[in-house]
Amino acid sequence: MRGANAALGAAGLAAFLALGEAVPRLGLVKEAYLPPTSRIADALGQEVTEHAFWTALGDTLTGWALGLAIAIGAGVVVGLLVSVVPYLREVTASTIEFLRPIPSVALIPLAVLLYGTELRSVLLLVVYASFWQVLVQVLYGVQDVDPVAEETARSYGLGPWARVRHVLWPTALPYVVTGVRLAAAVALILAVTAELVIGAPGLGARIAVAESSQAVPDMYALVVVTGLLGLLINVGARTVERRALAWHQSVRGEVMV
């Protein structure tokens, strides 16, 4: 089954690349706006030979990884505290619902004012966007705890943190892993967006330079790199999810299928 899916995916990718080669060659789109796939591939090959490309890639991955780590830690801790401490959920509910819908890109002017084009500007946007993905999933996971299991733990004399460890956390973990997977994708989007708009070092800034200098094939090549990063992050997150939740029914069912 997986082999068939992989073959279909490869066939779809091959068809897409062929279409990207044919459309500008046939004159349906000007090559100045959309170069053929072969020219983009040549530009990508040139990019990977340059030291500046790898430096930019490292800067993007640094902002992504640091921001994601901070968001995961803060989201899990805050989510558990809000869920466990009595009345704290009710006190913070309106604040969470007010802050959560604010688009992270709306904070770009604030990030520029505070930190300019430094890494901290990228981190501010990445953490803000990714934090809510994790927090909301933690809150949903805690709400899904079986009341009977909770009462049983209380009757056996388990303290608050013991109940968190043995009852609450196993129930919330699938939600937490889902939040981490979503946050990983959002973190990459915001990291590249911050670099593209603010000019912070990274692939986004390199894309902006290529666009402004009319190096269109290089621009598309860098966009392809960001897409490949997103694909690798998603595959990695899925792999971690399957390993961390090998005991869970959803993963066991997926493996059986």
Side-chain angles (χ1 to χ4, degrees):
M1 187 67 178
R2 289 186 179 181
N5 291 336
L8 290 174
L13 178 60
F16 177 76
L17 294 176
L19 183 65
E21 181 73 24
V23 166
R25 296 289 187 189
L26 295 174
L28 300 177
V29 177
K30 291 184 179 180
E31 292 191 20
Y33 302 140
L34 179 63
T37 302
S38 56
R39 287 187 59 194
I40 296 175
D42 291 340
L44 180 59
Q46 182 62 36
E47 283 285 341
V48 299
T49 63
E50 298 181 8
H51 177 72
F53 166 79
W54 295 104
T55 301
L57 178 61
D59 290 333
T60 296
L61 290 177
T62 298
W64 169 79
L66 287 178
L68 180 62
I70 295 171
I72 292 173
V76 170
V77 171
V78 173
L80 291 177
L81 286 176
V82 168
S83 301
V84 172
V85 177
Y87 306 112
L88 192 56
R89 178 67 183 271
E90 288 76 12
V91 171
T92 59
S94 58
T95 302
I96 291 174
E97 292 304 318
F98 170 73
L99 294 175
R100 186 166 62 91
I102 297 177
S104 298
V105 292
L107 301 179
I108 288 178
L110 175 63
V112 173
L113 287 174
L114 291 176
Y115 305 119
T117 59
E118 297 179 13
L119 174 62
R120 288 181 291 179
S121 293
V122 178
L123 291 180
L124 174 63
L125 300 176
V126 170
V127 170
Y128 186 85
S130 305
F131 170 77
W132 301 111
Q133 306 295 327
V134 179
L135 176 64
V136 171
Q137 290 297 324
V138 173
L139 297 178
Y140 283 150
V142 173
Q143 286 182 341
D144 199 36
V145 172
D146 187 352
V148 175
E150 177 71 14
E151 290 302 321
T152 302
R154 290 178 184 274
S155 66
Y156 275 96
L158 271 66
W161 294 113
R163 294 199 301 273
V164 168
R165 177 182 177 185
H166 297 291
V167 179
L168 188 152
W169 182 248
T171 303
L173 184 58
Y175 292 85
V176 174
V177 174
T178 298
V180 170
R181 175 163 52 83
L182 296 174
V186 170
L188 179 64
I189 294 171
L190 266 296
V192 175
T193 300
E195 295 162 357
L196 186 63
V197 178
I198 297 175
L203 291 175
R206 197 166 173 83
I207 291 173
V209 171
E211 185 272 335
S212 61
S213 59
Q214 299 299 312
V216 179
D218 296 87
M219 181 191 73
Y220 278 103
L222 292 168
V223 171
V224 169
V225 171
T226 60
L228 291 175
L229 277 181
L231 176 62
L232 291 175
I233 288 171
N234 184 63
V235 171
R238 288 285 188 182
T239 302
V240 171
E241 183 177 28
R242 285 194 295 268
R243 289 175 180 253
L245 301 177
W247 52 271
H248 196 262
Q249 181 179 0
S250 62
V251 174
R252 291 204 309 268
E254 180 180 335
V255 172
M256 290 177 62
V257 171

